[in-house]
Amino acid sequence: SRLNGLIDDPMGFQNWGGRLDWGWRSALVSFAHSPILGTGPSSLNNGLGVDSLYLLLLGSFGIVGLVAFIVLTSKTLELEYSAFAASRCTQLRAVCAGLAGATAGMLVIGITQEVFLSSKDALLFWFLVGLMLAGMFLERSSPNRASSSRPAQCLSAGATGGTKILPMGPSAFER
């Protein structure tokens, strides 16, 4: 009865009922009209948004768009995990773990928000993914990469513009 009250109340309708009646219905109608490729960007709910990443992808870009998004995010999660497992750099491992958590959180939030399409959220997220990739590249291309018997080492841009190795053991923070 509380949910019906949300839909019946004019203010509640704008928040919950409008989301169901206007946004989500618009996405499902668009998906039914063109299930393979969708109806295109800004074609749903008069361009006002849908408040569901997955329904927006289905309605705007069809099954092809949703599958492409699933492949992109699953590859991103796979990369975050493999970088975490392979890296000996504490900072890079922290970035990978944080990104994996952020990816999982953004996927859950995507049920009721278009978080991967929001410019601020998406820009920060993909910037951090790029930072992780740069860290992986620098760690792998370093000739002085830490061996398995030594403390982890991380890469940092030196004052001279070159790359120097910084030890990352317990003593690294005692300087």
Side-chain angles (χ1 to χ4, degrees):
S1 81
R2 289 185 75 185
L3 289 178
N4 286 335
L6 284 175
I7 294 172
D8 294 338
D9 179 34
M11 295 305 289
F13 181 78
Q14 294 295 333
N15 293 325
W16 178 246
R19 176 179 289 165
L20 293 175
D21 194 39
W22 297 330
W24 292 8
R25 184 184 315 242
S26 172
L28 293 173
V29 167
S30 292
F31 175 68
H33 179 69
S34 181
I36 304 298
L37 295 175
T39 56
S42 299
S43 64
L44 308 179
N45 197 20
N46 295 323
L48 296 176
V50 176
D51 288 337
S52 173
L53 174 66
Y54 309 107
L55 290 176
L56 176 80
L57 289 170
L58 271 177
S60 295
F61 305 107
I63 293 172
V64 171
L66 183 62
V67 168
F69 176 78
I70 290 169
V71 168
L72 177 67
T73 53
S74 64
K75 290 294 184 184
T76 302
L77 278 168
E78 181 183 316
L79 182 65
E80 292 161 354
Y81 176 76
S82 65
F84 178 84
S87 179
R88 295 202 17 88
C89 176
T90 306
Q91 291 138 333
L92 182 57
R93 287 174 58 92
V95 168
C96 294
L99 274 173
T103 304
M106 289 174 73
L107 289 171
V108 171
I109 292 170
I111 296 169
T112 59
Q113 294 296 317
E114 296 119 357
V115 69
F116 276 100
L117 301 177
S118 168
S119 60
K120 293 174 219 146
D121 299 328
L123 180 67
L124 179 61
F125 176 79
W126 292 114
F127 172 78
L128 291 173
V129 169
L131 187 65
M132 178 191 70
L133 290 171
M136 288 172 53
F137 173 77
L138 288 173
E139 185 179 32
R140 288 181 182 164
S141 65
S142 171
N144 298 327
R145 189 169 177 215
S147 67
S148 59
S149 62
R150 293 177 28 199
Q153 294 180 334
C154 291
L155 297 169
S156 173
T160 62
T163 302
K164 65 180 181 177
I165 304 294
L166 297 176
M168 287 305 300
S171 63
F173 297 104
E174 297 171 358
R175 295 183 206 180

